[in-house]
Amino acid sequence: MELFDLPLIWAFIIGFGIIMYVLMDGFDLGVGILFPFAPNEEARDVMMNSVAPVWDGNETWLVLGGAGLLAAFPLVYTIFLPALYIGVFLLLAGLIFRGVAFEFRFKARSSRYLWNWAFAGGSTIASFAQGAVVGAYIQGFETSNGVYVGGALDWLTPFSVLTGLGMLAGYALLGSTWLIMKTEGELQAWAYRLTLPLLTAVLVVFGVISIWTPFVDELVRDRWFANLSVIWILPVLTLLCAFQIYRSVRNRYEGMPFVATMGLFITTYLGLVVSRWPYVVPPDYTLWEAASAYQSQLFLLLGLLFVIPIVLVYTAWTYWVFRGKVRAGEGYH
Amino acid sequence: MELDPLLLSRIQFAFVVSFHAIFPVFTIGLASFIAVLEGLAFKTGDGVWVKLSAFWTTVFAVVFGMGVVSGIVMSFQFGTNWSNFAQASANFLGPVLSYEVITAFFLEAAFLGVLLFGRDKVPAGVHLMAAIMVATGTFISSFWILSANSWMHTPAGYELREGVFHVTSWSEAIFNPSFPYRFLHMALASFLTGGFVVAGVSAWYLLRGREIEANRKALSMCLWLLLFIAPAQAVVGDYHGLNTLEHQPTKVAAMEGNWETSKNVPLLLFAIPDQDNQSNLYEIGVPGLASLILTHEWDGEVPGLNEAPIAEQPPVAIVFWAFRVMVGLGLLMILFAVTGLILRAGGRYWRSTWFLHGLRFMSFTPFLAVLAGWIVTETGRAPWLVYGVMTHAESLTPSLTGGMALFTLLGYMIVYALVFSAGLYYLLRVLYVGMEDSHDGDKYEAERPSRPFSAAHVSFEIDQNGHTGNPASQEGH
Ligand code: HDD
Ligand code: HEM
Ligand code: HEM
């Protein structure tokens, strides 16, 4: 036996990477989802400016997620991507349009509306595709001998459409609470008004998903209702976070709604993880079966331990540099 | 007709990777050029260097941005279309690609912001360091990706167990036999690309009498650089070819259009390879020269395509002609670099109209040479994906149908056509507006200059009176 349970360590690392990605790219995708509904063009400038300095770094976590999965859990990479083939294409197309919209919108005059749509449309498609991936993961994949054998659109079911919509609502909520924190005046008031309806939408969709999931999957049913009742603490925490969002919006707090929304995402995410643990390719493969060779996991881990702390320092520093409110017509901080 | 997922996937991979490749080769070269300009500005305090650096940084930002979006697509290709290959090679490719992300991409992302927008916000020394870091990042990135690619050509340091590659020696796998040649050849190709584009654009400005002083300096720098690296590329290319002869003789045979193993093989200048009859039509060649180049003896024996079963031969005509395009352009580059030296003696290099027009044209050639080079390399290894071990057909995603592959192929074509024609259009605008205006960022306050493209303060459309770009700049016209 090897010295350490590397797959377990890697599961934590990848798990951390995923939630980092979801929280960080989530709010800037959310800003994109809300974009068409903004009160006016000036508000759109501010919205875009509020995420412009950081969104690129946020997306690099997605690239790391892809490469990291290939390195640590190749089976996940080589089953998810073929199974989600069409969805992955939509995700990438969405990200491309959104990425260039950042660049072109400010240079455009008469064609500006096109880039507005590219930004909003790209963000919406990418968010929906990510939510659908979660749904597809809960449903499980049809495999044989470690190879995906299902069809091109198996992932697209009423259930995954619902999780896609849930992700849209969730990211929009992250976006609106981010705007509460980063903006002021009319735009902030608009974001405050949006937050509670979005919260309601999120809770409704999450509620339906929670009730539906045990029917989709037996493992989840056992886990929640038979052998592991301590995990009921997670939905309780989720509801507490939701209440905290409600309260802080009523009291016009500025930072708390965003923090509480992140809390809501983290507890929901943990709920999903414990329901499925240790299956990474449901229903057949556990994380140990999906792992790459010990040597390979070790080789990358050594480098990661040195580099990732530095990366986190960069990231924190960037957010520090761009702290504070974003104002209309205001230059770079 | 049945749609073939294998063929469609190959076309798709070739399409997206070729698209991606043209941006990095330019940014790698340009990043180093900018670092040098920043260094000169720091040392001499001369405003001309600052101006040049600011302008080329603007161009860099646009190209880099397009490199990033197209690169994100690349990192998912292995899983979507080549999942059997990804599964088999994950133990090596996974860590290598991950190292690229954590050592290069994050480094580039972090320092790019400071390079693009930090000139007035951080001390000059820190700004210079940012430029050096970005340039370093691009090299680290090409180090890893070329190691991955070279390993597929000359796999080493591995052991196959149950159809899966297991790494037995990381140093042998990373520094596999073709890697040093490929890395050097690619690094020089990047410098050639940066050099010829900057030279070509400077020449165009000189022809129009714009910013003579700065553009003359830039042109002069490029010509010195090209004088050394254009011939160096031919030498490295020769060694690269010898290495290929050792490891992939069939590919070299295809490059030479040599069907039978024989001595005294001519270097073909023209031929139409005919794969069905395993021979060439209309050969024109220099007797014995191929033997001389490949074995360094006039009557050396050169392996032919007949050494490989017909089913394992690459498409010879493509490899043969792509090779000639690359080498031909390489020779043309040497010619221009030497001409530059001759004209310099009379101080005419920046006033000779025909030379400047020639340089304008030459700014496209490195991109063509790079694509031709990759086509030689990649098509020449067919049918192998991991040379001698795993074929294209074995690597394909089993669940992939022709319809799915066609859908995404068309999808990528449409998306890229839309997005990149807009990008190219915008890039040309930046060049058109030129460095006269690159320093009035404060007039564009609403434009948070926080993302690559936003560093370029040029508006997207041509306005009514035909002027482009920055309205502020037009007041001065
Ligand atoms: C010789 C150099 C070279 C080659 C052959 C490739 N790349 Fe590349 N790539 C770069 C050099 C580069 C770069 C210079 O480092 C880029 C250009 C713009 C950038 O951000 O970094 C980049 C960007 C880039 C990105 C975006 C990084 C980000 O988010 O910042 C990804 C995911 C990839 N590449 C992945 C690939 C893959 C999977 C390739 C092969 C199949 C590939 N690249 C070939
Ligand atoms: C960046 C410059 C590159 C260019 C322009 C390029 C070009 C090409 C082309 C034209 C093909 C098609 C050959 C054929 O099917 O006959 C191909 C195949 C392939 N290349 Fe490269 N390549 C590049 C770099 C890489 C790198 C860095 C990797 C891996 C790390 C890679 C992996 C592959 C794979 C997996 C295939 C097989 C798929 C196919 O046949 O289309 N390539 N490449
Ligand atoms: C002038 C003489 C040149 C010679 C003799 C030469 C030789 C070669 C050879 C033999 C290969 C194939 C190696 C293999 O597949 O294993 C190659 C590939 C390549 N060449 Fe060249 N080359 C020359 C010029 C150039 C120039 C001017 C450029 C671009 C500016 C260039 C860019 C490339 C690229 C991008 C590849 C594919 C990547 C690689 O395998 O390194 N070459 N070259």
Side-chain angles (χ1 to χ4, degrees):
Chain A
M1 223 354 242
E2 282 91 3
L3 202 52
F4 298 102
D5 190 351
L6 282 186
L8 192 65
I9 298 176
W10 268 105
F12 281 110
I13 295 176
I14 301 270
F16 173 75
I18 293 176
I19 191 70
M20 280 294 281
Y21 172 74
V22 167
L23 293 179
M24 305 218 314
D25 214 23
F27 73 76
D28 62 57
L29 284 164
V31 168
I33 297 168
L34 298 175
F35 211 59
F37 312 104
N40 52 45
E41 202 60 19
E42 191 182 72
R44 289 199 185 98
D45 289 349
V46 175
M47 285 167 77
M48 212 154 186
N49 281 339
S50 77
V51 292
V54 290
W55 80 273
D56 186 30
N58 295 348
E59 226 145 75
T60 308
W61 289 91
L62 180 68
V63 181
L64 181 61
L69 271 183
L70 177 64
F73 299 108
L75 199 69
V76 179
Y77 184 84
T78 56
I79 289 178
F80 277 43
L81 291 182
L84 302 165
Y85 192 81
I86 304 287
V88 169
F89 169 74
L90 293 177
L91 171 68
L92 293 174
L95 291 179
I96 292 176
F97 277 117
R98 187 180 118 81
V100 297
F102 269 104
E103 327 298 358
F104 296 155
R105 182 174 173 277
F106 280 122
K107 282 89 195 177
R109 270 172 273 160
S110 59
S111 64
R112 181 171 270 215
Y113 74 99
L114 274 179
W115 302 115
N116 282 348
W117 282 112
F119 183 55
S123 304
T124 305
I125 291 173
S127 308
F128 179 82
Q130 289 179 15
V133 169
V134 176
Y137 167 69
I138 297 175
Q139 288 168 15
F141 300 97
E142 197 181 323
T143 61
S144 128
N145 290 324
V147 168
Y148 177 70
V149 293
L153 291 175
D154 285 8
W155 57 278
L156 194 64
T157 60
F159 183 72
S160 67
V161 169
L162 186 69
T163 54
L165 292 176
M167 198 63 120
L168 269 184
Y171 279 173
L173 182 64
L174 269 176
S176 74
T177 52
W178 164 262
L179 290 175
I180 290 177
M181 185 166 75
K182 297 295 282 187
T183 66
E184 52 195 6
E186 191 195 355
L187 179 57
Q188 192 193 36
W190 172 75
Y192 270 124
R193 278 200 304 281
L194 278 182
T195 299
L196 292 185
L198 282 174
L199 178 64
T200 316
V202 169
L203 289 180
V204 169
V205 180
F206 281 15
V208 176
I209 293 173
S210 308
I211 296 167
W212 196 340
T213 305
F215 292 100
V216 176
D217 192 275
E218 200 177 323
L219 177 80
V220 177
R221 190 159 60 233
D222 288 353
R223 185 110 339 144
W224 286 90
F225 297 102
N227 43 26
L228 242 187
S229 41
V230 270
I231 60 179
W232 282 95
I233 185 86
L234 289 172
V236 174
L237 285 176
T238 308
L239 287 177
L240 277 178
C241 288
F243 179 69
Q244 184 65 7
I245 300 172
Y246 171 76
R247 213 177 55 98
S248 55
V249 167
R250 293 308 293 266
N251 294 333
R252 290 292 185 261
Y253 291 150
E254 298 196 321
M256 184 48 82
F258 184 64
V259 175
T261 309
M262 292 207 289
L264 187 102
F265 263 86
I266 293 171
T267 52
T268 316
Y269 176 71
L270 288 178
L272 180 68
V273 172
V274 295
S275 318
R276 274 294 178 193
W277 186 268
Y279 288 90
V280 285
V281 187
D284 296 322
Y285 298 98
T286 67
L287 60 101
W288 292 279
E289 290 157 340
S292 61
Y294 187 81
Q295 288 307 323
S296 300
Q297 290 201 331
L298 187 65
F299 178 67
L300 183 55
L301 184 65
L302 294 179
L304 211 69
L305 290 179
F306 281 104
V307 184
I308 287 296
I310 302 175
V311 168
L312 288 175
V313 171
Y314 290 157
T315 310
W317 180 72
T318 326
Y319 279 82
W320 171 253
V321 169
F322 299 106
R323 67 193 181 279
K325 296 279 182 193
V326 184
R327 297 190 179 85
E330 187 189 47
Y332 212 46
H333 288 273
Chain B
M1 199 194 81
E2 190 65 16
L3 288 169
D4 177 11
L6 177 60
L7 183 64
L8 289 167
S9 294
R10 291 174 65 175
I11 296 174
Q12 173 168 321
F13 196 91
F15 176 71
V16 291
V17 81
S18 300
F19 224 105
H20 174 60
I22 55 181
F23 302 110
V25 282
F26 185 32
T27 48
I28 295 167
L30 198 54
S32 298
F33 181 63
I34 290 170
V36 171
L37 291 175
E38 283 293 315
L40 288 170
F42 185 72
K43 228 177 89 192
T44 64
D46 187 342
V48 168
W49 301 123
V50 178
K51 186 176 223 171
L52 274 174
S53 173
F55 172 70
W56 284 105
T57 307
T58 310
V59 175
F60 178 79
V62 179
V63 183
F64 195 89
M66 292 196 269
V68 171
V69 249
S70 59
I72 293 178
V73 172
M74 294 311 304
S75 49
F76 290 92
Q77 281 290 310
F78 294 123
T80 48
N81 292 56
W82 307 100
S83 74
N84 275 358
F85 165 66
Q87 177 65 30
S89 61
N91 286 330
F92 177 65
L93 282 192
V96 166
L97 296 179
S98 301
Y99 266 112
E100 184 183 9
V101 181
I102 60 175
T103 59
F105 292 160
F106 278 117
L107 189 75
E108 289 169 333
F111 286 97
L112 184 69
V114 183
L115 172 65
L116 295 187
F117 316 110
R119 192 182 301 281
D120 306 323
K121 295 175 186 72
V122 293
V126 177
H127 195 251
L128 170 61
M129 185 196 61
I132 296 173
M133 285 310 210
V134 172
T136 315
T138 60
F139 273 102
I140 299 177
S141 165
S142 42
F143 171 90
W144 290 113
I145 198 73
L146 290 176
S147 170
N149 178 267
S150 298
W151 182 83
M152 294 162 64
H153 284 276
T154 49
Y158 73 94
E159 183 178 282
L160 261 182
R161 277 182 244 146
E162 294 163 15
V164 172
F165 295 92
H166 286 260
V167 180
T168 52
S169 160
W170 287 98
S171 59
E172 277 175 34
I174 292 173
F175 298 96
N176 55 74
S178 65
F179 170 68
Y181 303 95
R182 189 163 280 114
F183 183 67
L184 254 186
H185 198 55
M186 195 66 194
L188 288 177
S190 305
F191 281 142
L192 283 173
T193 311
F196 272 105
V197 173
V198 175
V201 172
S202 306
W204 182 67
Y205 285 138
L206 288 172
L207 282 168
R208 306 187 124 221
R210 291 172 59 177
E211 292 285 332
I212 301 284
E213 152 87 342
N215 286 311
R216 194 176 54 79
K217 283 195 164 162
L219 178 59
S220 165
M221 280 172 77
C222 288
L223 288 177
W224 280 122
L225 175 78
L226 296 173
L227 185 62
F228 292 98
I229 60 174
Q233 179 73 321
V235 175
V236 171
D238 182 39
Y239 280 101
H240 197 356
L242 293 180
N243 180 265
T244 310
L245 181 64
E246 191 182 331
H247 296 278
Q248 302 177 323
T250 317
K251 186 194 279 179
V252 174
M255 295 186 315
E256 300 299 341
N258 183 27
W259 296 95
E260 310 262 325
T261 304
S262 50
K263 296 188 176 180
N264 214 330
V265 175
L267 182 77
L268 298 180
L269 301 178
F270 183 91
I272 298 183
D274 178 357
Q275 199 130 8
D276 294 335
N277 294 316
Q278 298 278 300
S279 65
N280 293 327
L281 303 171
Y282 314 114
E283 280 187 8
I284 305 174
V286 185
L289 196 54
S291 284
L292 181 72
I293 292 173
L294 290 167
T295 64
H296 295 189
E297 280 168 43
W298 281 105
D299 59 354
E301 186 174 85
V302 176
L305 285 152
N306 61 337
E307 307 267 319
I310 294 189
E312 288 182 19
Q313 288 176 0
V316 177
I318 297 178
V319 180
F320 179 86
W321 277 109
F323 186 67
R324 267 146 198 75
V325 169
M326 170 180 68
V327 176
L329 292 174
L331 296 178
L332 199 61
M333 290 176 196
I334 298 177
L335 192 72
F336 265 87
V338 173
T339 312
L341 183 69
I342 297 169
L343 289 176
R344 191 188 291 274
R348 281 175 298 142
Y349 69 95
W350 60 279
R351 278 174 304 181
S352 154
T353 317
W354 64 267
F355 183 60
L356 296 179
H357 276 295
L359 282 176
R360 273 180 61 196
F361 158 77
M362 286 303 286
S363 56
F364 297 98
T365 55
F367 297 101
L368 294 178
V370 163
L371 288 180
W374 277 109
I375 289 170
V376 174
T377 301
E378 302 286 332
T379 315
R381 73 170 154 186
W384 301 108
L385 195 53
V386 181
Y387 201 74
V389 190
M390 193 170 188
T391 63
H392 282 134
E394 291 162 351
S395 310
L396 193 71
T397 300
S399 59
L400 189 69
T401 62
M404 287 157 79
L406 184 66
F407 174 79
T408 53
L409 175 60
L410 292 179
Y412 282 120
M413 286 180 163
I414 293 167
V415 171
Y416 279 15
L418 286 174
V419 160
F420 291 93
S421 49
L424 198 64
Y425 175 75
Y426 184 57
L427 188 65
L428 292 177
R429 289 289 142 216
V430 173
L431 295 178
Y432 191 80
V433 171
M435 65 193 79
E436 285 87 346
D437 322 296
S438 59
H439 235 29
D440 52 3
D442 39 324
K443 299 215 173 80
Y444 272 72
E445 294 172 332
E447 245 173 73
R448 268 285 202 85
S450 37
R451 285 282 310 131
F453 289 66
S454 316
H457 300 293
V458 181
S459 73
F460 203 69
E461 296 94 8
I462 305 179
D463 61 23
Q464 268 95 16
N465 32 23
H467 289 292
T468 55
N470 198 329
S473 76
Q474 284 156 19
E475 288 156 21
H477 283 203

